[in-house]
Amino acid sequence: MTKIYHRTYARRRQEYDRIRDTIEGELRLKEAGQLYLRRPSGMTQQQYHDYLLGAAFYAVAERTLRGLVGAATRHEPILELPPRLTPMREAATFEGNSLQVLIEQALTEVLSVGRFAMVLDYPVETSSPTATPHIATFEAEHILDWREDLVDGRQRLTMIRLHEGNVDLEDEGVEQHLLLTLEPQYVVRRLHVTTKRRGDGSSQVEQVEVHDPITPEVNGRPLFEIPVVIVSPFNLKADVEKPPFLDLVNVNLAHWRNSADYEHALYLTAQPTPWIAGSIPADKVPTTIGSGALWHLPEGATCGMLEFTGAGIAAQKAAMEDKVNQMAALGARMVHSGKGRNETSDTASLRVKDELSLLHSSVVMVEAAIRKLLRIAAEWTQPGTADQVVLKMHRDFTSAQMDPATLTALIKAWQAGAISHDTLLMNMKKGDLMDVNRALDDEKELIETDDRDPILNVIQGGLA
């Protein structure tokens, strides 16, 4: 039987789907129904529909992801490319996206599901002297199978199967797979794969090659390494790791379930429920309620309104607040402003550093992966230019703009000779008062060529 999926794929795929559904938000979760929100025992389908409809989702996972990616991309990366690769600044991917868009896409995938693949391609049949390679991207669930072997004394990727999309052939679902192997040279295959169910419940996989195997050559030579990188938050290996957002998503879904119970309980207990005690003929039972309705009750009958008493709803609300605190501890810093209720400043500082450690390592890995592919592309297009590729993403994830009082104190210290000009400018850069990509020497040159007084130039330029 043809092997399509890696042994870890099925379990991880469920985790990827859970993370994506939660990040997508309330509508996706409600469409999934009992997959994420069970139907309580004894509840009819209509009652469950109302129960599901009334649940309110707290979109912490999405907000956290957007905040982390935004923090990592708040400054433009430092990027230098050899002349032949200059077009890749604005068109680096198969879809024509820029390198900046690719960086944001890679960070989003690595931070959430913890896995992202990028393949460098250079189609020879359409290339020209000015053509550039492009990068094809694959999300975690599209990385179907892989194999690593010992080659020339080191562990290397020797096979990877990627899902390229679905093909509709005669109304039958057919997947197109990209199979990259080392045999020992680099070989590319494209396959149409169909999975058919047998009568006994088992499945049969059939695959047909779309074209003859391709052995890519660059500068007249075959390749002996698959030009692909698989990025995780901590390395560039094919090994599958636990998705970084899984714990946060699980708590977010538990909060969603609490919310459904809480909103349902509020709905039930907030409704006015009258009661009547006594012997009343069936045709005399009141059928309306409200200030305009008059009830005629027989002698001896009494009535009143049922009111909720007890701490059940309060306990549900407390459970939801506990989960909000858990989500804050798992990385959703934007849920809480400042430190926790019983948290010292030192503890809060350590917590923030821990939360940013995942972001820092993800930035390092994404930077290394894209730089590696760009250097391969440089060697393909113009041998000897790989060292001209520079990609440096910023590690300054928080915005802490210097206040005017601090700036004034720094300038006074400089005027008094207590600090150097470089120290002044360096502190201004840290305080977000200068372009972080501009070197100190370049800033001093701009000051010297400006007609205004240097001190005034620093102050006005920094506070602009």
Side-chain angles (χ1 to χ4, degrees), residues 64-74 103-104 106-112 231-234 244-245 330-331 333-334 351-367 393-399:
T64 301
L65 182 59
R66 290 183 182 275
L68 291 174
V69 174
T73 57
R74 56 190 293 263
I103 288 172
E104 293 186 14
L107 276 173
T108 299
E109 293 297 310
V110 171
L111 284 166
S112 55
V231 196
S232 83
F234 308 108
F245 257 45
L330 287 169
R333 290 187 300 114
M334 55 288 299
R351 175 176 57 80
V352 170
K353 288 180 180 178
D354 180 64
E355 291 161 3
L356 293 179
S357 63
L358 170 65
L359 180 57
H360 181 273
S361 61
S362 298
V363 166
V364 170
M365 290 302 113
V366 168
E367 173 188 282
M393 296 172 60
H394 290 279
R395 274 67 160 167
D396 180 16
F397 304 134
T398 57
S399 177

Side-chain angles (χ1 to χ4, degrees), residues 61-87:
E62 178 194 9
R63 192 183 312 171
T64 301
L65 182 59
R66 290 183 182 275
L68 291 174
V69 174
T73 57
R74 56 190 293 263
H75 295 305
E76 290 281 340
I78 299 173
L79 177 63
E80 298 176 11
L81 298 174
R84 280 290 306 275
L85 294 188
T86 300

Side-chain angles (χ1 to χ4, degrees), residues 418-430:
I419 61 174
S420 68
H421 196 184
D422 281 358
T423 300
L424 171 65
L425 295 179
M426 182 177 63
N427 277 278
M428 290 182 61
K429 178 180 281 192
K430 289 182 178 179

Side-chain angles (χ1 to χ4, degrees), residues 25-34 36-40 43 46-59 252-268 316 320:
E26 184 170 317
L27 181 59
R28 176 73 64 82
L29 296 178
K30 289 185 175 180
E31 289 175 347
Q34 295 194 57
Y36 299 112
L37 185 61
R38 68 191 184 285
R39 183 167 74 178
M43 185 177 282
Q46 181 57 48
Q47 289 172 334
Y48 174 72
H49 173 75
D50 297 336
Y51 171 75
L52 179 65
L53 191 63
F57 180 65
Y58 194 12
N252 206 171
L253 289 173
H255 184 278
W256 154 253
R257 292 190 290 270
N258 283 154
S259 169
D261 292 338
Y262 180 68
E263 297 293 339
H264 188 60
L266 284 178
Y267 170 77
L268 293 177
Q316 291 176 341
M320 293 171 63

Side-chain angles (χ1 to χ4, degrees), residues 6-8 12 16 114-115 146-148 155 157 230-233 235-242:
H6 193 269
R7 64 181 184 280
T8 63
R12 291 303 184 191
Y16 300 152
R115 195 164 171 80
W146 58 93
R147 185 179 66 249
E148 289 184 316
Q155 198 79 2
L157 186 71
I230 302 177
V231 196
S232 83
N235 55 56
L236 301 182
K237 297 181 180 179
D239 298 338
V240 184
E241 300 183 8
K242 178 182 175 182

Side-chain angles (χ1 to χ4, degrees), residues 189-260:
R189 291 180 173 86
R190 277 189 170 82
L191 311 168
H192 283 171
V193 180
T194 307
T195 303
K196 296 181 178 180
R197 295 292 178 184
R198 296 192 179 113
D200 59 1
S202 62
S203 60
Q204 179 182 0
V205 176
E206 297 178 356
Q207 58 182 15
V208 178
E209 295 200 19
V210 179
H211 50 65
D212 293 335
I214 299 173
T215 303
E217 292 186 352
V218 175
N219 300 319
R221 298 180 179 179
L223 303 175
F224 293 94
E225 186 169 358
I226 302 176
V228 59
V229 287
I230 302 177
V231 196
S232 83
F234 308 108
N235 55 56
L236 301 182
K237 297 181 180 179
D239 298 338
V240 184
E241 300 183 8
K242 178 182 175 182
F245 257 45
L246 185 60
D247 289 339
L248 176 60
V249 161
N250 285 338
V251 179
N252 206 171
L253 289 173
H255 184 278
W256 154 253
R257 292 190 290 270
N258 283 154
S259 169

